[in-house]
PDB file of all heavy atoms in Angstrom:
ATOM      1  N   GLY B  36     -62.400 -23.334  29.646  1.00 77.00           N
ATOM      2  CA  GLY B  36     -61.728 -22.649  28.531  1.00 77.00           C
ATOM      3  C   GLY B  36     -61.262 -21.266  28.939  1.00 77.00           C
ATOM      4  O   GLY B  36     -60.342 -20.731  28.363  1.00 77.00           O
ATOM      5  N   LEU B  37     -61.919 -20.684  29.927  1.00 83.00           N
ATOM      6  CA  LEU B  37     -61.398 -19.439  30.493  1.00 83.00           C
ATOM      7  C   LEU B  37     -60.753 -19.824  31.820  1.00 83.00           C
ATOM      8  O   LEU B  37     -61.367 -20.476  32.643  1.00 83.00           O
ATOM      9  CB  LEU B  37     -62.506 -18.414  30.723  1.00 83.00           C
ATOM     10  CG  LEU B  37     -63.274 -17.994  29.483  1.00 83.00           C
ATOM     11  CD1 LEU B  37     -64.224 -16.858  29.827  1.00 83.00           C
ATOM     12  CD2 LEU B  37     -62.341 -17.542  28.378  1.00 83.00           C
ATOM     13  N   THR B  38     -59.509 -19.430  31.996  1.00 82.00           N
ATOM     14  CA  THR B  38     -58.800 -19.890  33.182  1.00 82.00           C
ATOM     15  C   THR B  38     -58.517 -18.728  34.120  1.00 82.00           C
ATOM     16  O   THR B  38     -58.663 -17.565  33.748  1.00 82.00           O
ATOM     17  CB  THR B  38     -57.456 -20.507  32.791  1.00 82.00           C
ATOM     18  OG1 THR B  38     -56.683 -19.506  32.136  1.00 82.00           O
ATOM     19  CG2 THR B  38     -57.641 -21.683  31.871  1.00 82.00           C
ATOM     20  N   ALA B  39     -58.115 -19.066  35.333  1.00 84.00           N
ATOM     21  CA  ALA B  39     -57.724 -18.050  36.302  1.00 84.00           C
ATOM     22  C   ALA B  39     -56.598 -17.199  35.718  1.00 84.00           C
ATOM     23  O   ALA B  39     -56.581 -15.973  35.865  1.00 84.00           O
ATOM     24  CB  ALA B  39     -57.271 -18.709  37.597  1.00 84.00           C
ATOM     25  N   THR B  40     -55.670 -17.864  35.022  1.00 84.00           N
ATOM     26  CA  THR B  40     -54.537 -17.147  34.436  1.00 84.00           C
ATOM     27  C   THR B  40     -55.015 -16.072  33.466  1.00 84.00           C
ATOM     28  O   THR B  40     -54.553 -14.936  33.481  1.00 84.00           O
ATOM     29  CB  THR B  40     -53.634 -18.132  33.667  1.00 84.00           C
ATOM     30  OG1 THR B  40     -53.526 -19.312  34.427  1.00 84.00           O
ATOM     31  CG2 THR B  40     -52.277 -17.545  33.424  1.00 84.00           C
ATOM     32  N   MET B  41     -55.980 -16.448  32.600  1.00 84.00           N
ATOM     33  CA  MET B  41     -56.499 -15.479  31.637  1.00 84.00           C
ATOM     34  C   MET B  41     -57.176 -14.324  32.340  1.00 84.00           C
ATOM     35  O   MET B  41     -56.984 -13.161  31.988  1.00 84.00           O
ATOM     36  CB  MET B  41     -57.529 -16.143  30.730  1.00 84.00           C
ATOM     37  CG  MET B  41     -56.932 -16.885  29.601  1.00 84.00           C
ATOM     38  SD  MET B  41     -58.305 -17.402  28.572  1.00 84.00           S
ATOM     39  CE  MET B  41     -57.487 -18.675  27.663  1.00 84.00           C
ATOM     40  N   GLY B  42     -57.999 -14.645  33.337  1.00 86.00           N
ATOM     41  CA  GLY B  42     -58.710 -13.598  34.065  1.00 86.00           C
ATOM     42  C   GLY B  42     -57.720 -12.620  34.670  1.00 86.00           C
ATOM     43  O   GLY B  42     -57.893 -11.395  34.557  1.00 86.00           O
ATOM     44  N   LEU B  43     -56.682 -13.137  35.277  1.00 88.00           N
ATOM     45  CA  LEU B  43     -55.679 -12.272  35.898  1.00 88.00           C
ATOM     46  C   LEU B  43     -54.966 -11.432  34.843  1.00 88.00           C
ATOM     47  O   LEU B  43     -54.803 -10.220  34.994  1.00 88.00           O
ATOM     48  CB  LEU B  43     -54.657 -13.122  36.665  1.00 88.00           C
ATOM     49  CG  LEU B  43     -55.184 -13.769  37.947  1.00 88.00           C
ATOM     50  CD1 LEU B  43     -54.235 -14.859  38.423  1.00 88.00           C
ATOM     51  CD2 LEU B  43     -55.349 -12.728  39.033  1.00 88.00           C
ATOM     52  N   ALA B  44     -54.572 -12.089  33.730  1.00 81.00           N
ATOM     53  CA  ALA B  44     -53.812 -11.367  32.707  1.00 81.00           C
ATOM     54  C   ALA B  44     -54.647 -10.240  32.109  1.00 81.00           C
ATOM     55  O   ALA B  44     -54.139  -9.154  31.829  1.00 81.00           O
ATOM     56  CB  ALA B  44     -53.351 -12.327  31.619  1.00 81.00           C
ATOM     57  N   LEU B  45     -55.944 -10.511  31.932  1.00 80.00           N
ATOM     58  CA  LEU B  45     -56.809  -9.476  31.351  1.00 80.00           C
ATOM     59  C   LEU B  45     -56.970  -8.301  32.302  1.00 80.00           C
ATOM     60  O   LEU B  45     -57.155  -7.167  31.883  1.00 80.00           O
ATOM     61  CB  LEU B  45     -58.192 -10.061  31.044  1.00 80.00           C
ATOM     62  CG  LEU B  45     -58.296 -10.831  29.743  1.00 80.00           C
ATOM     63  CD1 LEU B  45     -59.656 -11.492  29.632  1.00 80.00           C
ATOM     64  CD2 LEU B  45     -58.079  -9.900  28.557  1.00 80.00           C
ATOM     65  N   LEU B  46     -56.931  -8.590  33.589  1.00 82.00           N
ATOM     66  CA  LEU B  46     -57.193  -7.550  34.574  1.00 82.00           C
ATOM     67  C   LEU B  46     -55.944  -6.761  34.962  1.00 82.00           C
ATOM     68  O   LEU B  46     -56.047  -5.657  35.495  1.00 82.00           O
ATOM     69  CB  LEU B  46     -57.809  -8.178  35.828  1.00 82.00           C
ATOM     70  CG  LEU B  46     -59.314  -8.089  35.954  1.00 82.00           C
ATOM     71  CD1 LEU B  46     -59.682  -6.712  36.473  1.00 82.00           C
ATOM     72  CD2 LEU B  46     -60.025  -8.307  34.615  1.00 82.00           C
ATOM     73  N   VAL B  47     -54.769  -7.334  34.692  1.00 78.00           N
ATOM     74  CA  VAL B  47     -53.533  -6.650  35.097  1.00 78.00           C
ATOM     75  C   VAL B  47     -53.468  -5.204  34.584  1.00 78.00           C
ATOM     76  O   VAL B  47     -53.156  -4.296  35.344  1.00 78.00           O
ATOM     77  CB  VAL B  47     -52.281  -7.467  34.692  1.00 78.00           C
ATOM     78  CG1 VAL B  47     -51.027  -6.624  34.749  1.00 78.00           C
ATOM     79  CG2 VAL B  47     -52.121  -8.652  35.627  1.00 78.00           C
ATOM     80  N   PRO B  48     -53.796  -4.948  33.298  1.00 74.00           N
ATOM     81  CA  PRO B  48     -53.714  -3.559  32.832  1.00 74.00           C
ATOM     82  C   PRO B  48     -54.617  -2.603  33.625  1.00 74.00           C
ATOM     83  O   PRO B  48     -54.272  -1.446  33.833  1.00 74.00           O
ATOM     84  CB  PRO B  48     -54.181  -3.643  31.380  1.00 74.00           C
ATOM     85  CG  PRO B  48     -54.017  -5.050  30.986  1.00 74.00           C
ATOM     86  CD  PRO B  48     -54.190  -5.866  32.221  1.00 74.00           C
ATOM     87  N   PHE B  49     -55.762  -3.113  34.104  1.00 79.00           N
ATOM     88  CA  PHE B  49     -56.675  -2.246  34.864  1.00 79.00           C
ATOM     89  C   PHE B  49     -56.082  -1.861  36.207  1.00 79.00           C
ATOM     90  O   PHE B  49     -56.398  -0.832  36.765  1.00 79.00           O
ATOM     91  CB  PHE B  49     -58.026  -2.934  35.076  1.00 79.00           C
ATOM     92  CG  PHE B  49     -58.812  -3.060  33.820  1.00 79.00           C
ATOM     93  CD1 PHE B  49     -58.762  -4.219  33.077  1.00 79.00           C
ATOM     94  CD2 PHE B  49     -59.581  -1.996  33.350  1.00 79.00           C
ATOM     95  CE1 PHE B  49     -59.465  -4.332  31.896  1.00 79.00           C
ATOM     96  CE2 PHE B  49     -60.290  -2.106  32.165  1.00 79.00           C
ATOM     97  CZ  PHE B  49     -60.228  -3.277  31.439  1.00 79.00           C
ATOM     98  N   THR B  50     -55.230  -2.748  36.727  1.00 78.00           N
ATOM     99  CA  THR B  50     -54.676  -2.457  38.042  1.00 78.00           C
ATOM    100  C   THR B  50     -53.565  -1.406  37.977  1.00 78.00           C
ATOM    101  O   THR B  50     -53.163  -0.885  38.992  1.00 78.00           O
ATOM    102  CB  THR B  50     -54.115  -3.733  38.711  1.00 78.00           C
ATOM    103  OG1 THR B  50     -53.024  -4.207  37.923  1.00 78.00           O
ATOM    104  CG2 THR B  50     -55.145  -4.816  38.816  1.00 78.00           C
ATOM    105  N   PHE B  51     -53.099  -1.087  36.750  1.00 73.00           N
ATOM    106  CA  PHE B  51     -52.107  -0.014  36.592  1.00 73.00           C
ATOM    107  C   PHE B  51     -52.552   1.259  37.270  1.00 73.00           C
ATOM    108  O   PHE B  51     -51.801   1.932  37.946  1.00 73.00           O
ATOM    109  CB  PHE B  51     -51.939   0.349  35.106  1.00 73.00           C
ATOM    110  CG  PHE B  51     -51.042  -0.556  34.363  1.00 73.00           C
ATOM    111  CD1 PHE B  51     -51.290  -0.857  33.040  1.00 73.00           C
ATOM    112  CD2 PHE B  51     -49.936  -1.112  34.971  1.00 73.00           C
ATOM    113  CE1 PHE B  51     -50.465  -1.697  32.335  1.00 73.00           C
ATOM    114  CE2 PHE B  51     -49.101  -1.949  34.275  1.00 73.00           C
ATOM    115  CZ  PHE B  51     -49.376  -2.242  32.946  1.00 73.00           C
ATOM    116  N   THR B  52     -53.821   1.600  36.992  1.00 79.00           N
ATOM    117  CA  THR B  52     -54.309   2.902  37.414  1.00 79.00           C
ATOM    118  C   THR B  52     -54.706   2.900  38.891  1.00 79.00           C
ATOM    119  O   THR B  52     -54.938   3.941  39.463  1.00 79.00           O
ATOM    120  CB  THR B  52     -55.524   3.308  36.560  1.00 79.00           C
ATOM    121  OG1 THR B  52     -56.411   2.187  36.525  1.00 79.00           O
ATOM    122  CG2 THR B  52     -55.099   3.647  35.151  1.00 79.00           C
ATOM    123  N   MET B  53     -54.779   1.708  39.480  1.00 86.00           N
ATOM    124  CA  MET B  53     -55.171   1.645  40.895  1.00 86.00           C
ATOM    125  C   MET B  53     -53.933   1.782  41.774  1.00 86.00           C
ATOM    126  O   MET B  53     -52.799   1.664  41.312  1.00 86.00           O
ATOM    127  CB  MET B  53     -55.804   0.291  41.205  1.00 86.00           C
ATOM    128  CG  MET B  53     -57.067   0.006  40.445  1.00 86.00           C
ATOM    129  SD  MET B  53     -57.667  -1.602  40.960  1.00 86.00           S
ATOM    130  CE  MET B  53     -58.928  -1.878  39.754  1.00 86.00           C
ATOM    131  N   SER B  54     -54.178   1.986  43.061  1.00 89.00           N
ATOM    132  CA  SER B  54     -53.057   1.953  43.992  1.00 89.00           C
ATOM    133  C   SER B  54     -52.579   0.508  44.059  1.00 89.00           C
ATOM    134  O   SER B  54     -53.366  -0.414  43.800  1.00 89.00           O
ATOM    135  CB  SER B  54     -53.510   2.426  45.364  1.00 89.00           C
ATOM    136  OG  SER B  54     -54.305   1.440  45.963  1.00 89.00           O
ATOM    137  N   PRO B  55     -51.298   0.276  44.391  1.00 89.00           N
ATOM    138  CA  PRO B  55     -50.817  -1.111  44.403  1.00 89.00           C
ATOM    139  C   PRO B  55     -51.669  -2.024  45.271  1.00 89.00           C
ATOM    140  O   PRO B  55     -51.990  -3.151  44.878  1.00 89.00           O
ATOM    141  CB  PRO B  55     -49.408  -0.993  44.984  1.00 89.00           C
ATOM    142  CG  PRO B  55     -48.992   0.399  44.734  1.00 89.00           C
ATOM    143  CD  PRO B  55     -50.240   1.237  44.705  1.00 89.00           C
ATOM    144  N   SER B  56     -52.092  -1.532  46.469  1.00 91.00           N
ATOM    145  CA  SER B  56     -52.843  -2.448  47.330  1.00 91.00           C
ATOM    146  C   SER B  56     -54.207  -2.765  46.731  1.00 91.00           C
ATOM    147  O   SER B  56     -54.622  -3.924  46.730  1.00 91.00           O
ATOM    148  CB  SER B  56     -52.966  -1.910  48.754  1.00 91.00           C
ATOM    149  OG  SER B  56     -53.233  -0.553  48.754  1.00 91.00           O
ATOM    150  N   ALA B  57     -54.902  -1.763  46.177  1.00 93.00           N
ATOM    151  CA  ALA B  57     -56.214  -2.032  45.573  1.00 93.00           C
ATOM    152  C   ALA B  57     -56.060  -3.005  44.417  1.00 93.00           C
ATOM    153  O   ALA B  57     -56.839  -3.952  44.273  1.00 93.00           O
ATOM    154  CB  ALA B  57     -56.857  -0.738  45.104  1.00 93.00           C
ATOM    155  N   GLY B  58     -55.045  -2.792  43.583  1.00 92.00           N
ATOM    156  CA  GLY B  58     -54.823  -3.654  42.429  1.00 92.00           C
ATOM    157  C   GLY B  58     -54.587  -5.091  42.854  1.00 92.00           C
ATOM    158  O   GLY B  58     -55.198  -6.020  42.314  1.00 92.00           O
ATOM    159  N   LEU B  59     -53.733  -5.264  43.856  1.00 92.00           N
ATOM    160  CA  LEU B  59     -53.404  -6.628  44.288  1.00 92.00           C
ATOM    161  C   LEU B  59     -54.585  -7.281  44.992  1.00 92.00           C
ATOM    162  O   LEU B  59     -54.798  -8.488  44.872  1.00 92.00           O
ATOM    163  CB  LEU B  59     -52.175  -6.614  45.196  1.00 92.00           C
ATOM    164  CG  LEU B  59     -50.867  -6.409  44.428  1.00 92.00           C
ATOM    165  CD1 LEU B  59     -49.716  -6.156  45.378  1.00 92.00           C
ATOM    166  CD2 LEU B  59     -50.566  -7.615  43.549  1.00 92.00           C
ATOM    167  N   ILE B  60     -55.379  -6.483  45.706  1.00 94.00           N
ATOM    168  CA  ILE B  60     -56.563  -7.042  46.371  1.00 94.00           C
ATOM    169  C   ILE B  60     -57.530  -7.578  45.325  1.00 94.00           C
ATOM    170  O   ILE B  60     -58.112  -8.657  45.463  1.00 94.00           O
ATOM    171  CB  ILE B  60     -57.226  -5.973  47.269  1.00 94.00           C
ATOM    172  CG1 ILE B  60     -56.376  -5.782  48.535  1.00 94.00           C
ATOM    173  CG2 ILE B  60     -58.648  -6.360  47.635  1.00 94.00           C
ATOM    174  CD1 ILE B  60     -56.807  -4.618  49.396  1.00 94.00           C
ATOM    175  N   MET B  61     -57.651  -6.850  44.215  1.00 94.00           N
ATOM    176  CA  MET B  61     -58.542  -7.293  43.153  1.00 94.00           C
ATOM    177  C   MET B  61     -58.034  -8.614  42.557  1.00 94.00           C
ATOM    178  O   MET B  61     -58.808  -9.558  42.351  1.00 94.00           O
ATOM    179  CB  MET B  61     -58.608  -6.237  42.064  1.00 94.00           C
ATOM    180  CG  MET B  61     -59.591  -6.562  40.969  1.00 94.00           C
ATOM    181  SD  MET B  61     -59.890  -5.074  40.027  1.00 94.00           S
ATOM    182  CE  MET B  61     -61.167  -5.615  38.945  1.00 94.00           C
ATOM    183  N   LEU B  62     -56.729  -8.682  42.314  1.00 93.00           N
ATOM    184  CA  LEU B  62     -56.154  -9.916  41.767  1.00 93.00           C
ATOM    185  C   LEU B  62     -56.356 -11.084  42.740  1.00 93.00           C
ATOM    186  O   LEU B  62     -56.646 -12.208  42.333  1.00 93.00           O
ATOM    187  CB  LEU B  62     -54.669  -9.734  41.455  1.00 93.00           C
ATOM    188  CG  LEU B  62     -54.339  -8.716  40.363  1.00 93.00           C
ATOM    189  CD1 LEU B  62     -52.834  -8.642  40.149  1.00 93.00           C
ATOM    190  CD2 LEU B  62     -55.021  -9.055  39.050  1.00 93.00           C
ATOM    191  N   ALA B  63     -56.227 -10.778  44.038  1.00 93.00           N
ATOM    192  CA  ALA B  63     -56.450 -11.809  45.053  1.00 93.00           C
ATOM    193  C   ALA B  63     -57.869 -12.357  44.911  1.00 93.00           C
ATOM    194  O   ALA B  63     -58.092 -13.569  44.948  1.00 93.00           O
ATOM    195  CB  ALA B  63     -56.236 -11.243  46.447  1.00 93.00           C
ATOM    196  N   GLY B  64     -58.829 -11.446  44.733  1.00 94.00           N
ATOM    197  CA  GLY B  64     -60.226 -11.860  44.584  1.00 94.00           C
ATOM    198  C   GLY B  64     -60.419 -12.775  43.394  1.00 94.00           C
ATOM    199  O   GLY B  64     -61.097 -13.803  43.483  1.00 94.00           O
ATOM    200  N   ILE B  65     -59.808 -12.419  42.270  1.00 94.00           N
ATOM    201  CA  ILE B  65     -59.957 -13.229  41.063  1.00 94.00           C
ATOM    202  C   ILE B  65     -59.390 -14.624  41.277  1.00 94.00           C
ATOM    203  O   ILE B  65     -60.025 -15.633  40.964  1.00 94.00           O
ATOM    204  CB  ILE B  65     -59.234 -12.568  39.874  1.00 94.00           C
ATOM    205  CG1 ILE B  65     -59.890 -11.237  39.559  1.00 94.00           C
ATOM    206  CG2 ILE B  65     -59.258 -13.472  38.661  1.00 94.00           C
ATOM    207  CD1 ILE B  65     -59.196 -10.464  38.491  1.00 94.00           C
ATOM    208  N   TYR B  66     -58.203 -14.668  41.844  1.00 92.00           N
ATOM    209  CA  TYR B  66     -57.518 -15.952  42.030  1.00 92.00           C
ATOM    210  C   TYR B  66     -58.358 -16.881  42.912  1.00 92.00           C
ATOM    211  O   TYR B  66     -58.645 -18.026  42.556  1.00 92.00           O
ATOM    212  CB  TYR B  66     -56.142 -15.695  42.660  1.00 92.00           C
ATOM    213  CG  TYR B  66     -55.156 -16.830  42.525  1.00 92.00           C
ATOM    214  CD1 TYR B  66     -55.449 -17.977  41.804  1.00 92.00           C
ATOM    215  CD2 TYR B  66     -53.898 -16.735  43.115  1.00 92.00           C
ATOM    216  CE1 TYR B  66     -54.527 -18.990  41.678  1.00 92.00           C
ATOM    217  CE2 TYR B  66     -52.961 -17.761  42.996  1.00 92.00           C
ATOM    218  CZ  TYR B  66     -53.289 -18.887  42.285  1.00 92.00           C
ATOM    219  OH  TYR B  66     -52.370 -19.893  42.176  1.00 92.00           O
ATOM    220  N   VAL B  67     -58.795 -16.344  44.058  1.00 92.00           N
ATOM    221  CA  VAL B  67     -59.568 -17.174  44.987  1.00 92.00           C
ATOM    222  C   VAL B  67     -60.922 -17.544  44.385  1.00 92.00           C
ATOM    223  O   VAL B  67     -61.370 -18.692  44.486  1.00 92.00           O
ATOM    224  CB  VAL B  67     -59.736 -16.445  46.335  1.00 92.00           C
ATOM    225  CG1 VAL B  67     -60.649 -17.233  47.260  1.00 92.00           C
ATOM    226  CG2 VAL B  67     -58.385 -16.222  46.996  1.00 92.00           C
ATOM    227  N   GLY B  68     -61.562 -16.589  43.732  1.00 93.00           N
ATOM    228  CA  GLY B  68     -62.865 -16.842  43.117  1.00 93.00           C
ATOM    229  C   GLY B  68     -62.773 -17.954  42.076  1.00 93.00           C
ATOM    230  O   GLY B  68     -63.604 -18.861  42.034  1.00 93.00           O
ATOM    231  N   ALA B  69     -61.723 -17.886  41.257  1.00 91.00           N
ATOM    232  CA  ALA B  69     -61.581 -18.868  40.182  1.00 91.00           C
ATOM    233  C   ALA B  69     -61.365 -20.275  40.748  1.00 91.00           C
ATOM    234  O   ALA B  69     -61.829 -21.258  40.182  1.00 91.00           O
ATOM    235  CB  ALA B  69     -60.416 -18.501  39.272  1.00 91.00           C
ATOM    236  N   MET B  70     -60.664 -20.353  41.883  1.00 88.00           N
ATOM    237  CA  MET B  70     -60.396 -21.659  42.467  1.00 88.00           C
ATOM    238  C   MET B  70     -61.676 -22.320  42.965  1.00 88.00           C
ATOM    239  O   MET B  70     -61.760 -23.543  43.059  1.00 88.00           O
ATOM    240  CB  MET B  70     -59.405 -21.521  43.629  1.00 88.00           C
ATOM    241  CG  MET B  70     -57.987 -21.341  43.183  1.00 88.00           C
ATOM    242  SD  MET B  70     -57.407 -22.783  42.308  1.00 88.00           S
ATOM    243  CE  MET B  70     -56.774 -22.076  40.835  1.00 88.00           C
TER     244      MET B  70
END
Side-chain angles (χ1 to χ4, degrees):
Chain B
L37 300 187
T38 60
T40 319
M41 277 187 198
L43 289 165
L45 278 173
L46 261 279
V47 164
F49 290 95
T50 64
F51 278 145
T52 48
M53 298 181 191
S54 73
S56 42
L59 284 170
I60 285 171
M61 184 165 186
L62 296 180
I65 296 175
Y66 198 4
V67 174
M70 283 296 128

